[in-house]
Each structure stands twice: as C-alpha cells, then as structure tokens.
Amino acid sequence: MPTRPAPLLLRSATVVDTRDGTRSPGTDVLVQDGTITAVGRGLGAPDGTTTVDAHDHYVVPGYNDMHAHPLGRGEPSATLELMLAHGITGFRQMHGDLDLLRARAAGTLALPEASPALLALPGPLLTMLNTATADEAAATVREQAAAGADFVKSAAMTKERFFDAQAEALRLGIPIVGHLPGGIDVLKASRIGMKSIEHFGSGLGVLACCSTEEHAIQEAAGARQRLNLPKVRLPFMDRVVDKAVEAVMKRVVLNPVALNKPEDIALVDQAVRTYAQERTRALADRFAQDGTWHVPTLIRQKTSKLCDVPGFAADPDLRFMAPATRKTWHGAARRFTKRFTPEQRAVLAASHRHEYEMARVFDAAGVRMLVGTDSSGAVWVVPGAALHDEIDLLAEAGLAPLRLLRMLTLDAAEFLGTTDTMGTVEPGRAADLVLLAADPVTDAAHLHSVAGVVRAGRHYPAPELTRMKDRLATAGTVH
C-alpha cells in the first residue's frame, strides 16, 4: 500500500496556463492528499508540509502518453517507472483483455507507486478473428462494453466489419478508435463518429486519401485485407489458429511495416507519387469539422519505415532496454534491410516524409491531435524517452511549442472528458505535475527540461529522477 505523501508546497514557481500560454511568476501551488488545493501568491501551508523552492521552475500539468502499451507485457513496473522519470504522469493503454478490465473493476489492478496513472483501458483488439461476421463484431463490442472498457480499438479488421463494430459501439455509447482497415471509406468512418485515428490510420490509412488516385488505391488495399479461415473448424484448429495469430501479432508489434509484400509497397509508391496537398487540406477540414482526433505517433512511423537507419542503434537511450529487447531490435533492423530493396526503402521513407506534411496541415486546419509513442515493444521505441522524440518530430513538422504543450496536457484531458481533474494547474485538479527548467512556451526543446515530477502529490526532484534512470539502466529490465 503506497504511503500517503505529506502536503506539498511549490513555492514561487512560474505557473503556465495551458489554455493560452500565460505565465504567472511568483506563484505557489499547494497540494494535499494528491490534489491541488490552492494556487496563488504567499500561500500558507499546514504543519508538516514539504516545501520546494521552485522560483526558477515552470510548472505545467504532467505529460500524457496517449498511445502506449506498458501493461500486458510481463512485469510492467520498470517500464512504468521509466515513463514517470521522463515526465509522463498518465497514459492511455492501447490494448487490453477481459482479465485486465475485471481486475480494474475489482480494484486489484495494482500499479507501482512510481507509475503514471492509467487513464483509459480497452478490451482485446478488434481483429478479423473476433469480428469474422457482423454478429460477431457486434457481440465482441458488447462484451467489452459490459466488462467496462473505456473504448474499443480496431486493429486488423475488414472494412465491412469495421462499420458493424462502429455501429454497435455508437449504439452503446463507447468510443471506437484505432487503425483504418484497407479500402475503408475514411470520411464515412470520420463522419459517423470514429473518436480517434492512430498512426494516420496505420498502413496506407490516411495517406491513400491524400492521393489523386484514392479510389484505385483503396480498392486494391481492401482486396488485400482478408483472412481466409477454414470453413470447417475441427476441435484442435482453434488452438492452432490462436498460436499462429499470436506469432503474427508479435511481428506486428515489433514492426508492422516489415510484413509488407512487394504488392503493398507498390500501393504505397502509388500513393506517394500521386500525393496532393489540396486533398490533404480538404481531408483535414473534414476531420476538424467531424471532431475526429488523430494520434500521429511519428516516432513509431519513423522507426518502422526507416528501421535500418544506423542512428537508432546508436541511441544512448537504448541503455534502458533489456539485453534481449536490444538483440531483437538489432535483428529486426537486419531483416528489414534484407527484405526490402533500396528502391522499396526509399518509397517507405518518402511516405514517412508525407506524414510530417499531414501533421502540419492537420494542425493548421485545427484537427485535434494528441501525443503518443506506441511503446512498449515497438522497434527502437524506448518508453518514456520516445515521448520526447515525438515532441521533436512534431516540432520538426511545424507545430508550435504551446500547441505541443496543450497536446501533452489539456488536449488529453479534453479528449478523455476529464478537464475537471487534469490538464491545468488549478485547485481541484490531480497533483500530477512537471517542473521545467526553461519556458515551454518559447521553445519546444524546453519541454525536455524536466527538473522534477509530482505524481499523486509526491514530489520526485531531478536528482531522484536521475537515480531512477540510472538504476533502470543498470537493471536492464525494461522491455
């Protein structure tokens, strides 16, 4: 049972308003029982309060990784602690199962004290196996909703079954998010009410919609996304299929791009060659009008599509990862080089460059976006550190520092419908905070200057965060 932290007073900080970037220097923040109770100048504090001199720090809400997978991969404590050490105080878990949902409902889903908060949890991913028919798709959604899932996630479905699942989710009032099936009418999914599109749809996804040859590309992509299961199912076959699917899913988690065949790369090439910015702008306007959110995960896209770039293997943050994980990632890079020709790798790189353009155009059109990384398990994506990589890539795409700060904090709260408890530094909000050494509104690089974290009212100063990182690097238990 975590110990109850003493009251905490951050004295003379510069508090940043995530709504408009206003900075209020010389401001005190009082925290009691894990909640901000007062914000103002010259605050008093009860006996036993821990006071932190924050006169040279900027205080912002804690960062949120809105696309992550730390749970369900063995013992997640080290991964969660590494995320916290990088300023992440909340995460949206992007795959789940019924056992996790039941444990959460029963109050037995215990996370370590040094962990970000679990903000949202789905059930099992929607795939062609549990959505093989319209009735199965609807039943799978109903089962997850009944188990308390916060959303359902499309992962590998056909376009027909996607709309069946979406209809049932909308009927039940549970959000549907995730990947876009090959050949799907993206604008229809958006118009009807898809809550968020992850990785620009994964695969061809949104990129196909930006092509002047969208119809032909989508038709070909839809024809390729089929799962041919035996019409006669013998008793032993379910176990065989389950094991085969498990093996494929491990490869998908590691690097889905590596599963592409020459025909898939040819479709990507067609989309790249016929990319039209005016179509991207029109698409962005529709997403903004429909209220469809996006989680670009540019770092995941980059490490997948440029998997063999030498810089990944030289990343000093690899020190945090377990030796077995590093070995797997190096092997994935070698296989990537062997699988694809230089010309095919150039096509993948070109498609990734368009994703920066899409992020910039979406931002200009007012499309709501969130920051996510797709850790853990994704090749070269280091939990915690990857959030800062994502910040840099979004800044490279042209997003302004305040926009990035909002995406990390207030926008996450608005997406979740929890602005009364998170997203701003105000009384009544959870005491999940980041102390920064430099002004995050003037330069996106200053979002990296984490000089302290407050999680559930407990203060982790910079030296403690450094010790946490060093210990995790030495232990080698992050996967």
Side-chain angles (χ1 to χ4, degrees):
M1 190 76 171
T3 58
R4 181 174 169 179
L8 173 68
L9 180 64
L10 304 178
R11 179 71 78 186
S12 298
T14 297
V15 172
V16 181
D17 189 330
T18 50
R19 298 180 185 89
D20 59 11
T22 300
R23 280 86 89 200
S24 299
T27 302
D28 302 337
V29 180
L30 180 62
V31 171
Q32 298 181 81
D33 296 327
T35 301
I36 300 172
T37 57
V39 178
R41 289 175 177 268
L43 296 179
D47 292 341
T49 296
T50 300
T51 299
V52 175
D53 180 4
H55 77 276
D56 55 353
H57 291 153
Y58 294 79
V59 175
V60 299
Y63 299 163
N64 298 287
D65 188 335
M66 294 298 286
H67 191 121
H69 297 266
L71 305 183
R73 287 180 53 80
E75 174 51 55
S77 294
T79 297
L80 293 167
E81 191 172 355
L82 185 60
M83 292 169 70
L84 184 73
H86 283 86
I88 299 171
T89 62
F91 69 98
R92 182 172 60 137
Q93 173 71 19
M94 292 307 292
H95 79 278
D97 57 47
L98 297 179
D99 287 340
L100 281 173
L101 289 170
R102 294 185 189 109
R104 185 180 64 169
T108 57
L109 182 57
L111 302 182
E113 182 177 17
S115 167
L118 172 60
L119 302 175
L121 176 67
L125 302 176
L126 303 184
T127 69
M128 285 178 272
L129 288 180
N130 58 13
T131 63
T133 67
D135 288 343
E136 285 183 41
T140 297
V141 172
R142 285 196 299 273
E143 180 182 45
Q144 295 192 23
D150 298 305
F151 60 92
V152 292
K153 181 185 175 185
S154 165
M157 311 169 68
T158 64
K159 59 184 179 181
E160 296 84 6
R161 298 294 80 82
F162 175 90
F163 286 118
D164 294 329
Q166 184 181 35
E168 187 66 9
L170 293 172
R171 187 184 73 81
L172 296 172
I174 182 172
I176 183 167
V177 311
H179 303 182
L180 295 169
I184 194 173
D185 184 339
V186 176
L187 292 181
K188 178 181 177 181
S190 173
R191 182 178 67 253
I192 292 174
M194 188 174 186
K195 178 74 171 179
S196 69
I197 296 175
E198 317 292 317
H199 328 295
F200 289 120
S202 191
L204 276 166
V206 174
L207 180 62
C209 302
C210 301
S211 165
T212 56
E213 299 178 6
E214 175 189 4
H215 179 74
I217 294 171
Q218 291 284 44
E219 191 173 69
R224 293 188 56 74
Q225 190 157 352
R226 290 288 185 270
L227 179 65
N228 296 317
L229 294 175
K231 297 185 182 300
V232 178
R233 304 293 292 273
L234 300 175
F236 68 88
M237 291 182 67
D238 284 341
R239 294 193 299 272
V240 173
V241 171
D242 287 345
K243 286 186 176 296
V245 170
E246 181 181 356
V248 172
M249 288 307 296
K250 285 183 178 179
R251 294 166 62 196
V252 169
V253 169
L254 182 64
N255 186 357
V257 172
L259 302 182
N260 282 345
K261 297 180 178 178
E263 297 86 352
D264 301 311
I265 302 296
L267 284 178
V268 175
D269 183 40
Q270 184 178 357
V272 167
R273 287 185 289 100
T274 57
Y275 177 89
Q277 191 181 87
E278 62 271 18
R279 291 184 63 87
T280 308
R281 285 195 294 265
L283 185 65
D285 289 340
R286 283 293 304 274
F287 286 142
Q289 180 181 334
D290 294 340
T292 304
W293 294 70
H294 279 261
V295 190
T297 64
L298 290 175
I299 184 60
R300 167 59 149 164
Q301 302 297 86
K302 181 177 181 179
T303 61
S304 297
K305 294 181 175 180
L306 284 71
C307 185
D308 59 346
V309 169
F312 292 133
D315 185 352
D317 287 327
L318 291 181
R319 69 190 180 106
F320 297 118
M321 305 310 298
T325 298
R326 295 199 300 269
K327 181 178 179 181
T328 298
W329 290 357
H330 282 284
R334 290 192 295 271
R335 290 191 297 274
F336 184 90
T337 304
K338 291 179 180 178
R339 182 175 181 86
F340 299 118
T341 66
E343 293 76 17
Q344 289 171 329
R345 296 200 297 276
V347 168
L348 293 172
S351 72
H352 179 56
R353 288 194 296 273
H354 282 313
E355 288 165 342
Y356 291 87
E357 172 76 3
M358 287 190 285
R360 184 188 64 76
V361 173
F362 284 13
D363 176 52
V367 176
R368 307 302 301 275
M369 292 191 286
L370 300 168
V371 183
T373 64
D374 210 15
S375 66
S376 305
V379 64
W380 304 128
V381 179
V382 178
L387 190 82
H388 294 271
D389 295 330
E390 184 72 5
I391 290 168
D392 286 340
L393 296 181
L394 289 167
E396 183 180 334
L399 277 65
L402 179 58
R403 169 71 150 145
L404 293 170
L405 175 61
R406 283 183 56 102
M407 287 169 62
L408 288 161
T409 58
L410 183 56
D411 287 348
E414 291 181 353
F415 176 86
L416 296 167
T418 55
T419 53
D420 57 337
T421 59
M422 60 183 285
T424 54
V425 183
E426 295 179 302
R429 278 40 174 195
D432 293 338
L433 306 167
V434 169
L435 284 71
L436 297 170
D439 187 348
V441 179
T442 60
D443 191 331
H446 295 169
L447 291 163
H448 305 318
S449 64
V450 177
V453 173
V454 178
R455 168 72 184 107
R458 180 183 168 186
H459 177 231
Y460 297 84
E464 185 172 356
L465 297 177
T466 298
R467 287 193 296 271
M468 288 168 62
K469 291 178 181 179
D470 290 343
R471 175 169 45 78
L472 291 167
T474 301
T477 54
V478 177
H479 293 279

